Amino acid sequence: MEHKKRLIKYNDKMFSCATSIAMELIGGKWKSVILIYLIDGSKRYSELRKLISTITERTLSLQLKQLEKDGLITRKVYTKKPPLKVEYSLTKFGESLAPVLNAIAQWGMAVAEEKGEVIEG
Amino acid sequence: MEHKKRLIKYNDKMFSCATSIAMELIGGKWKSVILIYLIDGSKRYSELRKLISTITERTLSLQLKQLEKDGLITRKVYTKKPPLKVEYSLTKFGESLAPVLNAIAQWGMAVAEEKGEVIEG
DNA sequence: CAGTATCCGGCTTGATACTG
DNA sequence: CAGTATCAAGCCGGATACTG
């Protein structure tokens, strides 16, 4: 595949190539981790917090908001009064990311097996 | 694919899953962009700077150093006195990322075509 | 339960100028 | 040519406490 120089405008920001746009949406420390857990199906806030044990509440909240804003996930509220039940799930757009996320996860697993150390299985 | 909760130690840092490790290595604003250009073959510093038109010299330099430190690219110097000739290329480890990078680029292109605006082709 | 409020340190990125 | 030096801004992410 060839990658020519080009400038693309997306959401009023300039990007030097298509890869930049993708990384704007799924880059950062947590986004792709959250998304990959949602591939398996919708999850509640507390479920995500448990699955991603090293994330803080604040950061999880902020990342979920950004993902929702970018159209990758939807937020659905099931109760009106506490205790609240909120579920997050992938949109169609988010689902289109599955091949990318799986490729990332697969590569990450290969790296982890070769050079990492599993502390808690 | 199932994604169980686990903690992995890599380079003395803790990660909640394999995806986190992958994002540590290729996440951020520029790394995957640099890497994808290197799939086509080794590039000089100035070539990368032209290809990634919106990156600054300083940031390109820092990112290249980080990628080298992580073992994804190698730096080769061809001259001893100015004008210098330096080439960057993927290591075997970096080459193993090609499927991931191509998946990201492909998805990014689909997004760009659907929702983006090409300013300069 | 599912967040928000507040405070804050540090890393990332940028602009500009300079050098071997 | 291929960077480094310096200064500075801004966002990311963490700790802790609090709320509808």
Side-chain angles (χ1 to χ4, degrees), chain A residues 44 46 57 61 65 75 84 88:
Chain A
R44 297 182 63 170
S46 54
E57 296 178 352
S61 177
K65 268 185 188 152
R75 177 179 184 271
L84 294 185
Y88 294 91

Side-chain angles (χ1 to χ4, degrees), chain B residues 44 46 57 61 65 75 84 88:
Chain B
R44 298 181 65 168
S46 54
E57 295 178 354
S61 176
K65 268 185 189 153
R75 177 180 184 274
L84 294 185
Y88 294 92

Side-chain angles (χ1 to χ4, degrees), chain A residues 30 33-35 37-38 42-64 84 86-88 120, chain B residues 3-7 15-17:
Chain A
W30 300 111
V33 179
I34 295 170
L35 290 170
Y37 282 121
L38 293 180
S42 57
K43 297 272 182 300
R44 297 182 63 170
Y45 179 85
S46 54
E47 289 182 285
L48 288 170
R49 208 165 40 136
K50 281 175 203 162
L51 287 166
I52 312 171
S53 53
T54 50
I55 199 171
T56 63
E57 296 178 352
R58 170 195 152 85
T59 299
L60 177 56
S61 177
L62 290 174
Q63 297 300 311
L64 287 169
L84 294 185
V86 178
E87 278 199 346
Y88 294 91
E120 182 184 331
Chain B
H3 306 286
K4 288 185 190 155
K5 173 185 172 183
R6 57 165 66 182
L7 277 178
F15 298 92
S16 62
C17 66

